Amino acid sequence: MQIKELLLQSPSQQTVTVKGWVRTKRVSSSVAFIAMNDGSTIHNIQAVVSDGIVSEETLKLVTTGSCIAVTGILIPSQGQGQTVEVQVISIQVYGTADPEKYPLQPKKHSLEFLREIAHLRPRTNTFAAILRIRHALAFAIHQYFNDHGFFYLHTPIITGSDAEGAGEMFRVTTLPAINPPLTEEGKIDYKEDFFGKETNLTVSGQLEGELGAMALSKIYTFGPTFRAENSNTTRHLAEFWMVEPEMAFFELTDNMNLAEDFTKSLIRYALENCADDIAFLEKRLLEEEKMKKKEEQSEMTLSEKLRFVSENTFERLTYTEAIEILLQSKPHKQGKFNYPVEWGIDLQSEHERYLVEKHFKKPVILTHYPKEIKAFYMKLEDDGKTVRAMDVLFPGIGEIIGGSQREDDYEKLLQRTKDVGIEEDSIWWYLQTRQFGSAPHAGFGLGFERLVLFVTGMSNIRDVIPFPRTPKSAEF
Ligand code: ATP
Ligand code: MG
Ligand code: MG
Ligand code: MG
């Protein structure tokens, strides 16, 4: 039985076996206490070993990090917190962990240190909690879409389309790692691509997602996405997971309504289903907050923040209105923004976070961005200058969702592809959806790790994915 289930049992005379990793062992004169965890819950179960029950040699092998199976009787717990603990009859040691060498000790390790041991960090309470929340959110995403009539469409990871990601794509080749073909100058000959064609790892499943929406009406993709981001920020990974719903017969307002309802519902799911893990992370954050200067301390606890966002209406305004607010803002007037504000700029995270954290103090949906800073497929507004784009901005994060109503007029779309220099031939299949039975449609992309960042209250995106891929880390 998993520890999560065992902790819900009442004491009984029945024997149980618990398997897991030792967190701590305390030995007093006549009794030893072992705290064990199997990753199913943030709570440990305590095993009590009375004197003489287990040989001294075995007990010696039971150290922090070792893996053991304990058989015993569930008795009422003496300590606080848990209702039951295990009175040990026997212990089997599966795997020892030399205390001299095992890197995780029962103290608090820094997140930087844990990043260097990504192979072991899931064994810490903090990471196990994050991974369970990540799982719960992934599950809730599928459940939400299934409940709302969406179909899960698997879009390709290897794609021939490079319409969106100029400069950010990872090329796929079939070059053999050993003795690759060389050019006359002795350099690797990259001409030999995936079966003779130039292919890339996907930067977004959207274009293919639109094809699905043009047949099944409501689809979503949820898969890994790759961007050769050269920046070393706390919000960007080279490999991340994106959730992309695409809906026929949706206009911009429907798209905003869905984005808001969807994110709120995921946060509510986490609050209801991950209460213990959120409470654990909240406590951890409170300790960190205490170290900060008073003015930098957050006004709300993690669960208060999650509740607030899930219960209040997001602010909606246009890009142009947002620029007005930024131009009137203190940091602009005092020259404190690193990137000067003017109509036409792509908003930087400092601007987004000012709007969300200082001005509105709640999530914000910005719409109608200048067409020059958005992708070619977004629907042109009647003003000829802006597109029906929407970005959802979250406190502590900035952009969490980017989306739009798509251009459904063939002639206009063709003109936009020409304007931005995309060859018609390279996306003939995409253009055809506007030639044959075109439909108004809209969709968005939610960065899954950014959502996990928000829900866990963590501040570095490397800490919410099991194996972060960044320019510096791709060992395993
Ligand atoms: P940003 O402005 O933060 O670089 P973007 O505008 O380039 O994001 P989009 O192309 O709009 O990103 O992708 C949709 C969503 O995917 C973003 O809103 C964000 O949540 C997420 N996202 C984008 N790039 C990354 C990345 N490198 N790592 C993690 N998540 C990302
Ligand atoms: Mg980007
Ligand atoms: Mg952006
Ligand atoms: Mg975007």
Side-chain angles (χ1 to χ4, degrees):
M1 208 183 283
Q2 285 187 301
I3 292 177
K4 182 182 176 180
E5 280 176 77
L6 262 183
L7 290 173
L8 297 173
Q9 307 283 311
S10 313
S12 78
Q13 286 305 306
Q14 257 184 320
T15 52
V16 293
T17 298
V18 195
K19 298 169 187 178
W21 291 268
V22 173
R23 287 287 204 256
T24 55
K25 181 181 72 175
R26 270 187 305 126
V27 186
S28 71
S29 55
S30 61
V31 61
F33 299 99
I34 303 167
M36 288 170 67
N37 192 287
D38 64 358
S40 62
T41 163
I42 195 76
H43 304 294
N44 298 331
I45 195 161
Q46 178 158 275
V48 187
V49 194
S50 302
D51 208 15
I53 294 283
V54 172
S55 74
E56 229 164 77
E57 294 87 79
T58 302
L59 205 54
K60 243 193 210 153
L61 300 178
V62 177
T63 56
T64 297
S66 61
C67 184
I68 62 173
V70 159
T71 300
I73 293 165
L74 269 191
I75 55 166
S77 177
Q78 309 297 322
Q80 280 181 334
Q82 263 49 289
T83 50
V84 289
E85 56 191 32
V86 182
Q87 179 73 53
V88 173
I89 297 169
S90 67
I91 294 180
Q92 184 186 352
V93 179
Y94 287 131
T96 57
D98 183 347
E100 297 292 315
K101 294 187 185 144
Y102 186 59
L104 292 171
Q105 289 306 317
K107 60 164 196 171
K108 197 169 150 192
H109 294 284
S110 77
L111 295 168
E112 290 76 19
F113 169 73
L114 293 177
R115 252 170 251 150
E116 284 165 21
I117 50 163
H119 60 302
L120 292 174
R121 69 177 182 171
R123 292 198 199 171
T124 62
N125 284 335
T126 300
F127 279 91
I130 293 166
L131 293 181
R132 282 189 296 267
I133 293 172
R134 189 180 161 101
H135 159 81
L137 287 169
F139 179 79
I141 285 166
H142 289 297
Q143 191 170 57
Y144 180 94
F145 285 131
N146 189 56
D147 290 349
H148 289 78
F150 285 71
F151 298 101
Y152 185 20
L153 184 78
H154 298 109
T155 51
I157 305 272
I158 297 177
T159 166
S161 97
D162 66 352
E164 248 216 304
E168 281 191 347
M169 302 191 100
F170 288 105
R171 279 276 288 278
V172 174
T173 87
T174 46
L175 286 179
I178 298 164
N179 297 331
L182 300 178
T183 61
E184 278 173 16
E185 294 88 51
K187 300 219 167 93
I188 293 175
D189 188 356
Y190 285 109
K191 263 183 299 187
E192 210 177 293
D193 257 325
F194 184 67
F195 302 115
K197 262 213 185 85
E198 186 182 311
T199 49
N200 302 290
L201 294 183
T202 184
V203 294
S204 154
Q206 182 205 312
L207 300 189
E208 293 92 347
E210 283 184 55
L211 312 181
M214 288 305 188
L216 300 171
S217 292
K218 293 204 281 189
I219 63 93
Y220 70 105
T221 73
F222 182 12
T225 307
F226 307 86
R227 293 189 187 178
E229 304 272 11
N230 229 338
S231 50
N232 244 315
T233 78
T234 54
R235 304 278 175 273
H236 292 89
L237 291 162
E239 178 180 316
F240 64 100
W241 284 64
M242 186 138 65
V243 185
E244 294 176 281
E246 191 70 36
M247 300 74 62
F249 320 119
F250 266 52
E251 300 202 355
L252 185 61
T253 307
D254 309 307
N255 206 23
M256 286 195 269
N257 292 345
L258 177 72
E260 183 167 343
D261 185 60
F262 177 55
T263 45
K264 284 176 170 175
S265 132
L266 296 177
I267 295 167
R268 273 199 306 274
Y269 184 90
L271 279 167
E272 282 161 24
N273 293 277
C274 309
D276 288 356
D277 286 327
I278 289 173
F280 174 83
L281 294 173
E282 175 168 305
K283 214 170 124 221
R284 187 179 191 288
L285 275 173
L286 285 173
E287 281 163 23
E288 271 174 23
E289 288 282 308
K290 276 193 218 140
M291 320 277 276
K292 289 188 192 162
K293 283 189 246 148
K294 191 114 195 117
E295 59 273 19
E296 283 168 16
Q297 287 179 2
S298 143
E299 289 160 22
M300 286 189 226
T301 64
L302 177 60
S303 49
E304 280 167 353
K305 196 174 74 176
L306 297 179
R307 233 171 280 124
F308 179 83
V309 167
S310 69
E311 287 167 5
N312 283 283
T313 310
F314 296 0
E315 192 70 33
R316 297 182 186 188
L317 65 156
T318 64
Y319 167 90
T320 305
E321 288 164 334
I323 291 288
E324 276 310 309
I325 293 172
L326 290 168
L327 286 172
Q328 298 303 323
S329 71
K330 248 199 209 158
H332 174 74
K333 291 193 168 156
Q334 296 174 346
K336 291 229 172 98
F337 285 132
N338 292 322
Y339 201 92
V341 180
E342 63 173 317
W343 198 94
I345 61 158
D346 197 1
L347 294 182
Q348 305 296 304
S349 136
E350 55 179 341
H351 308 128
E352 297 174 339
R353 293 184 61 176
Y354 173 84
L355 291 168
V356 173
E357 290 158 30
K358 298 276 178 331
H359 191 83
F360 290 109
K361 297 188 189 300
K362 53 154 106 165
V364 169
I365 309 183
L366 290 189
T367 62
H368 297 90
Y369 284 71
K371 67 175 184 209
E372 286 77 15
I373 56 169
K374 287 291 180 190
F376 74 99
Y377 48 71
M378 299 195 180
K379 190 169 178 65
L380 197 61
E381 212 25 282
D382 298 336
D383 62 11
K385 283 193 215 146
T386 60
V387 285
R388 290 196 191 162
M390 58 159 219
D391 274 11
V392 181
L393 316 178
F394 260 44
I397 307 281
E399 179 182 339
I400 193 165
I401 284 179
S404 68
Q405 183 174 342
R406 319 303 188 192
E407 184 57 79
D408 52 340
D409 181 285
Y410 175 69
E411 294 299 335
K412 284 188 187 154
L413 184 62
L414 194 59
Q415 188 55 50
R416 285 291 288 147
T417 57
K418 284 193 185 131
D419 291 348
V420 301
I422 294 171
E423 298 211 6
E424 202 180 319
D425 281 356
S426 69
I427 50 163
W428 61 272
W429 47 274
Y430 184 73
L431 293 166
Q432 270 201 3
T433 54
R434 275 68 169 175
Q435 285 175 304
F436 306 133
S438 187
H441 64 290
F444 60 80
L446 163 75
F448 183 54
E449 283 73 21
R450 296 200 186 171
L451 175 75
V452 184
L453 264 182
F454 181 72
V455 173
T456 56
M458 300 301 286
S459 45
N460 191 322
I461 199 160
R462 293 165 180 80
D463 297 333
V464 297
I465 186 163
F467 306 102
R469 292 292 99 113
T470 63
K472 281 198 190 132
S473 70
E475 200 177 339
F476 56 86

